[in-house]
Amino acid sequence: STGAVKMQPKAEELKFVTKNDGYVHIHPSSVNYQTRHYESPYLVYHEKIKTSRVFIRDCSMVSVYPLVLLGGGQVHMQLQKGEFVISLDDGWIRFVAASHQVAELVKELRCELDQLLQDKIKNPSMDLCMCPRGSQIISMIVKLVTTQ
């Protein structure tokens, strides 16, 4: 017996959504143009251009934890319909956390990282890997990102 097999979209059919431009496509000159499946639905990009439609270039897939920890803007957490939601960019990007504890820990880790980076800006000679607080925060982030 045979059945239908779901086909991956063609490169020119694959599109993503941005907050300001709506749908965008990966530019044909991009290395990722022929990529038809991403493990994460989120991409970061360097350049956006508009010709026949809006294209992005120099893009890379990014998973949830690096986006939450290193993305711009404030991290917010709220309970919605019994689920703990972590949001970025004034709620435009949203993730459902596995539990309240996970949501709180991720939010707290982001706050600690932001503070650590502020400390580094104030004191550029500070070695983040040698100070106990810095090495703990960096170790936690590496573990989280590599084991997700």
Side-chain angles (χ1 to χ4, degrees):
S1 139
T2 62
V5 177
K6 185 177 178 181
M7 299 288 291
Q8 294 290 343
K10 295 178 183 173
E12 61 273 5
E13 296 171 340
L14 194 61
K15 54 189 171 185
F16 295 88
V17 180
T18 65
K19 185 176 181 180
N20 298 325
D21 297 296
Y23 289 110
V24 298
H25 301 266
I26 298 176
H27 195 274
S29 67
S30 175
V31 171
N32 285 328
Y33 181 69
Q34 292 300 324
T35 303
R36 295 166 59 177
H37 174 73
Y38 295 90
E39 294 297 317
S40 172
Y42 302 102
L43 295 181
V44 293
Y45 61 90
H46 175 68
E47 184 178 30
K48 182 171 51 173
I49 59 171
K50 184 174 183 179
T51 55
S52 59
R53 53 187 171 181
V54 180
F55 291 98
I56 57 174
R57 282 198 273 208
D58 305 326
C59 60
S60 295
M61 183 201 74
V62 62
S63 54
V64 172
Y65 287 127
L67 187 59
V68 171
L69 293 172
L70 302 169
Q74 294 290 320
V75 175
H76 300 282
M77 187 201 64
Q78 56 192 5
L79 180 63
Q80 292 181 347
K81 299 179 183 176
E83 295 181 314
F84 294 96
V85 177
I86 299 171
S87 63
L88 303 168
D89 199 16
D90 298 325
W92 195 76
I93 300 172
R94 300 162 24 116
F95 311 99
V96 175
S99 68
H100 179 253
Q101 184 179 16
V102 169
E104 285 291 345
L105 288 171
V106 169
K107 184 178 177 184
E108 186 63 29
L109 187 57
R110 168 65 186 265
C111 290
E112 288 292 328
L113 176 61
D114 288 348
Q115 184 58 53
L116 184 65
L117 293 174
Q118 286 295 329
D119 294 347
K120 177 66 174 174
I121 290 168
K122 289 176 187 171
N123 181 8
S125 63
M126 181 172 92
D127 186 344
L128 297 179
C129 294
M130 296 307 281
C131 75
R133 184 171 158 264
S135 64
Q136 285 180 333
I137 293 168
I138 291 168
S139 176
M140 291 287 292
I141 290 171
V142 168
K143 186 173 182 178
L144 180 65
V145 170
T146 58
T147 59
Q148 69 172 347

